[in-house]
Structures are given as C-alpha cells and as structure tokens.
Amino acid sequence: MIDKKIKTMARTGFVAKGVVYGIIGILTFKAAIDMGGQKAGQLQVLEFLEKQTFGNILLVLMGLGLACYAAWRFVQAIKDPENIGDDKKGTAKRIGFFCSGLLYLGLGVLATLKAFGMGRGSGGGSGSSGSVQQSSFLASETGLWIIGIVGAGIIIAGIFQFVKAYKNDYYKKLGLAALGEQKKRESIKKTAEFGLSARGVILVIIGFFAVKAALNSNPSNIKTTQEAFSFLQDSSYGPWLMGVVAAGLVAYAVYMFLMAKYRRFHA
C-alpha cells in the first residue's frame, strides 16, 4: 500500500507540471496565430509567472509543486513503490525517473530563487567566467560524450511518449475502464494521445540537436524547448505545425490534470 502522503505529493506534482506545460502551450499557440504570446519553454514560464499579480507567491507555489513532482520521481526511482522491478527495462525506467526528478527539482529551485530575487543573472565578471568555464567543459571530449548520451536519452524518452500514447500505457493508470461514460473515456483517451505525441515531438527535436551537437563538437547547437518551437516554425507549414504542437502541449497539461485527479497507484 502506497502511503497517502506520497499520493498527495504526486498529485500536487502532476498539477504543477500541468501548469508548466499549459503555459508553454498557450503562449506558443498565441504566437503561432499572431495573437501576442511568445515561443516558450520552462524558463519563460517562470518569467511569465513573475510578471503576474502576486508573482512571487505564484513562483513559490510553483517551486513547491515542482519539488513535490521531483520527490515523487525520486520515490519511484529509489523505493520503487509500484514494483517496476530491477531488470533492464525496469532499471532504465527508474534511471529515467531519477533524471526527471533532478530536472524538475532544478526548475523548482530556480522558481523559488526567482521569487526571492535570487534567480536573476548578473552582469558581473564572475558570472561571465563561470559561463566560459561551462562552455569549455561542454566542448571537451568528456562534455561532448555527456551531451551525446543525454541527447540519446532524450530521443528515447520522446519515442517512449509515442509508445505510451498508442499502447494505451496510461489507460490503467487513469483507471479508464472504471469510467461508465463511453464519451468521457474517448475524450480522455484522445487528449492523452494528442498530448503525449506533442511532447514526444518536442523531446525528439531537442534530443536530435543534442546528439548533433556532440557529433559536430559544437555545444552551441543544443536547443531548448523554446528553440525547438523555432525549428518547427522555420520548417514547411511552420506556423501551422508550431500551433498544432503547442495545442498538443496544452492537451498534455490537461492530461497531467487528469493524472492528478484519476491516477491509480498500484503497489
């Protein structure tokens, strides 16, 4: 039996993650149809929240929510409460959970620092020196190997989003079989598939450019979520494609909210 506090922590984390993807999707979709907005990534979400009324409070809440999501991922990776196992497949999943936890913990910490005025970059010499050192490390042989391995991992994570979508991996987690209304089940199913697929597209693009950066010994080729949208925009049918993927991320946000409400935890 999974502890009730852990379930509450996970559900809180799903909501926070959903808010992040919802804001990314809405801002980017508005940019795609020329209604203001901007191509956005996780950092732009924090900037957006900071500009709102009671922005610091929103950032603190976001930081706490993302910390809950990170903690849930760490519990999955280390405690394995749902018996994923320690065979090759299970180990790969648990390593992915741990890396996901690190990513969202970092974003949560950054949100909290911004709330207290400590997350802004400074124009001082020390910051510039740190940036140069970081760039030098990424350009080194070790750094390029790390970029390549991380990029390959991101591509695999992106492909896994498509697998989850079309193998109905989420079906049991949401307990859809228990929902009496056929229309409601179909609506949730389509939302999950659309959202997971859109996230898969973004992850594959980011991973592809990371691997390319490693192979070309050029860390500057690494792309963020925001730059992945720029890549889509510059392609054939760019604004349309960017708009569809952005709408998909809004669907992914809805999927996260559904996870917060319906997620079943199987011990």
Side-chain angles (χ1 to χ4, degrees), residues 108-188:
V109 168
L110 184 56
T112 305
L113 290 175
K114 283 181 77 68
F116 292 99
M118 294 181 285
R120 299 175 178 85
S122 64
S126 60
S128 176
S129 174
S131 178
V132 170
Q133 289 176 1
Q134 183 185 47
S135 178
S136 298
F137 171 73
L138 292 176
S140 69
E141 186 176 353
T142 301
L144 292 171
W145 269 103
I146 291 173
I147 291 170
I149 292 169
V150 170
I154 293 172
I155 290 173
I156 292 169
I159 293 171
F160 186 62
Q161 299 300 299
F162 294 108
V163 173
K164 283 175 69 176
Y166 296 102
K167 274 197 169 183
N168 296 338
D169 183 66
Y170 56 87
Y171 212 87
K172 287 183 179 179
K173 288 181 180 178
L174 292 175
L176 295 186
L179 286 177
E181 298 178 35
Q182 176 68 22
K183 285 185 178 180
K184 192 172 184 179
R185 284 202 305 270
E186 282 300 313
S187 178
I188 292 174

Side-chain angles (χ1 to χ4, degrees), residues 15-156:
V15 171
K17 186 179 178 183
V19 170
V20 169
Y21 275 93
I23 293 173
I24 290 174
I26 291 169
L27 289 178
T28 306
F29 184 79
K30 288 177 69 178
I33 60 175
D34 292 324
M35 287 185 62
Q38 64 179 104
K39 294 185 288 291
Q42 283 83 353
L43 296 181
Q44 286 69 41
V45 169
L46 301 187
E47 291 171 5
F48 173 80
L49 291 175
E50 189 177 27
K51 293 174 183 175
Q52 306 309 304
T53 306
F54 304 115
N56 290 346
I57 295 174
L58 293 175
L59 284 170
V60 169
L61 292 174
M62 177 59 71
L64 291 172
L66 292 175
C68 284
Y69 184 78
W72 164 240
R73 284 310 203 190
F74 291 144
V75 168
Q76 284 183 298
I78 298 167
K79 298 280 189 180
D80 191 20
E82 295 182 295
N83 296 318
I84 293 170
D86 54 6
D87 57 3
K88 287 183 179 180
K89 184 178 178 181
T91 299
K93 277 188 176 184
R94 290 168 70 178
I95 290 172
F97 292 152
F98 190 81
C99 292
S100 174
L102 289 176
L103 174 66
Y104 284 99
L105 179 61
L107 188 61
V109 168
L110 184 56
T112 305
L113 290 175
K114 283 181 77 68
F116 292 99
M118 294 181 285
R120 299 175 178 85
S122 64
S126 60
S128 176
S129 174
S131 178
V132 170
Q133 289 176 1
Q134 183 185 47
S135 178
S136 298
F137 171 73
L138 292 176
S140 69
E141 186 176 353
T142 301
L144 292 171
W145 269 103
I146 291 173
I147 291 170
I149 292 169
V150 170
I154 293 172
I155 290 173
I156 292 169

Side-chain angles (χ1 to χ4, degrees), residues 233-251:
Q233 189 179 34
D234 294 338
S235 62
S236 301
Y237 306 103
W240 288 94
L241 191 56
M242 186 175 79
V244 168
V245 175
L249 291 190
V250 175

